Amino acid sequence: MTLDIVQTVPLQQTILHQVVPNFTGEYIVELEDPDTFPMWTVTLSLSRYDAGPGFTFMPRGNPNPSHTFHVARLPSRWESVFSSLGELPADRFDPFKKVLSVSKTVDVKNGPIIGDLQAAYDTLAGTQQILAKAALLNLFAVLTDEVDPIAMIPWYSYVRKVVRIDQERFLAEVDPALFENVQTILNELTSTYAAQGFFTEPAADLPLHIPNIPTAYHSDQNLRQIITVKKDYEQGNLQLTLSFLVVDGVAVHLLDCDMDEHRNIILHSFDILAHLVNGGTNPIAMHEYIVEDSAQQSPTRLSTINLGYTLV
């Protein structure tokens, strides 16, 4: 851990640059009182975490400041270690396993064909597939714990079979009731559901979701309607995009589920630009949102959620 205190007013200069080799979570710094009335900025640097922008104070007006840094893992510094499919506890993961057992024609967006997801689950390898696997587990966790406000059941209850995965989303065939309930939320957004944290995106953005649909569905010919709803989740949001298609005379409802890093529309615009370069939201960033949400629900303020993987 490296601690820096920099004077920003009246003249910029370094007050302290200190490396702490065995940081245990709390650190006290003692400095002499300044003769003038400067402004100091305190920042913290960690090798595997982002500690944020730090804080600024006036030492003469606040001689004993205390600050808690809320840190998040730096995705590039961590790796996911997965439990095998058989090791996942039944009380939590039975719905997940049931869906995987019928997910026979799965691919990775812009990547290889996986085929039988249940059979391939424990052998998925390479950066693209590992990130997609972590994202799938993240989204399963959120869709299990977040509830459809109309039917009052977990969102994941509607998922029938997965057809596509990648590092920020999965696509699945779902029960038609999910499409109907999302449409109801949109119809009553202003009167009822906006107050519960639901919102949507401009109609002009809906075509951005079409390339996510696997080519086997021939969306260019078969797509009839797309609707989308977002729900606040920590600093970001959960997004459920539903497509209605008619394939060979059969109605198909597809869910495109992902999580955004920023609820704020300006910051999310920056996310989109970044994702054009890096391939999408990193699931380790979403891991941090999920464990934070779990900690907030726990009386001990410690996360208890089992995501099916750990970070090392």
Side-chain angles (χ1 to χ4, degrees):
M1 185 269 285
T2 302
L3 180 70
D4 287 285
I5 302 177
V6 176
Q7 179 175 296
T8 56
V9 177
L11 297 175
Q12 184 161 331
Q13 60 177 313
T14 298
I15 303 300
L16 178 74
H17 175 79
Q18 192 160 347
V19 177
V20 182
N22 297 309
F23 180 57
T24 59
E26 183 175 344
Y27 194 69
I28 298 174
V29 177
E30 295 184 359
L31 297 169
E32 294 184 3
D33 290 337
D35 295 329
T36 58
F37 293 86
M39 190 83 73
W40 289 355
T41 296
V42 182
T43 57
L44 188 68
S45 299
L46 299 162
S47 61
R48 304 182 75 195
Y49 295 87
D50 178 2
F55 71 101
T56 299
F57 73 105
M58 295 184 69
R60 289 291 293 269
N62 183 13
N64 297 298
S66 177
H67 182 77
T68 299
F69 287 87
H70 295 277
V71 301
R73 287 177 175 85
L74 293 168
S76 62
R77 304 295 179 87
W78 296 83
E79 293 183 0
S80 303
V81 176
F82 298 93
S83 301
S84 70
L85 190 59
E87 292 172 339
L88 296 175
D91 59 342
R92 175 73 173 178
F93 287 94
D94 265 0
F96 180 76
K97 296 178 182 181
K98 180 179 179 181
V99 168
L100 261 59
S101 71
V102 296
S103 300
K104 305 294 187 181
T105 56
V106 181
D107 69 8
V108 180
K109 181 184 175 184
N110 300 323
I113 294 173
I114 293 173
D116 187 331
L117 186 54
Q118 181 185 53
Y121 183 83
D122 289 334
T123 58
L124 293 174
T127 299
Q128 189 181 41
Q129 294 183 37
I130 291 300
L131 291 175
K133 184 175 179 177
L136 180 63
L137 288 163
N138 286 348
L139 292 167
F140 166 73
V142 175
L143 293 180
T144 298
D145 295 336
E146 295 286 311
V147 173
D148 171 3
I150 296 174
M152 298 306 296
I153 59 175
W155 292 113
Y156 197 80
S157 303
Y158 297 107
V159 177
R160 290 177 172 174
K161 67 175 183 178
V162 174
V163 297
R164 169 165 284 179
I165 59 176
D166 81 357
Q167 74 175 59
E168 62 178 354
R169 64 173 27 83
F170 76 85
L171 280 88
E173 292 189 12
V174 294
D175 190 296
L178 177 57
F179 189 98
E180 296 169 6
N181 289 358
V182 168
Q183 185 64 70
T184 299
I185 292 171
L186 294 172
N187 293 343
E188 301 177 17
L189 195 59
T190 303
S191 62
T192 304
Y193 294 104
Q196 298 179 28
F198 288 93
F199 61 107
T200 189
E201 65 184 21
D205 289 348
L206 290 176
L208 296 173
H209 298 278
I210 296 176
N212 298 331
I213 299 174
T215 56
Y217 292 91
H218 299 289
S219 60
D220 57 329
Q221 303 171 21
N222 299 328
L223 182 62
R224 300 291 187 268
Q225 187 180 2
I226 295 183
I227 58 176
T228 191
V229 70
K230 298 184 178 187
K231 173 69 164 60
D232 288 340
Y233 188 87
E234 293 300 316
Q235 301 98 316
N237 62 75
L238 171 70
Q239 182 168 17
L240 307 175
T241 301
L242 279 301
S243 298
F244 170 53
L245 306 99
V246 178
V247 182
D248 296 330
V250 178
V252 177
H253 296 83
L254 283 182
L255 168 66
D256 176 355
C257 179
D258 73 300
M259 294 176 68
D260 295 325
E261 292 150 282
H262 294 296
R263 166 68 168 86
N264 179 283
I265 186 63
I266 296 176
L267 293 176
H268 181 51
S269 296
F270 288 131
D271 286 345
I272 293 173
L273 292 174
H275 295 171
L276 293 175
V277 177
N278 64 24
T281 302
N282 192 297
I284 293 178
M286 294 302 95
H287 171 282
E288 298 301 89
Y289 284 13
I290 296 167
V291 297
E292 173 66 18
D293 185 76
S294 172
Q296 290 181 11
Q297 311 304 321
S298 170
T300 64
R301 305 296 292 174
L302 297 174
S303 175
T304 58
I305 193 167
N306 184 343
L307 287 174
Y309 71 97
T310 57
L311 297 177
V312 296

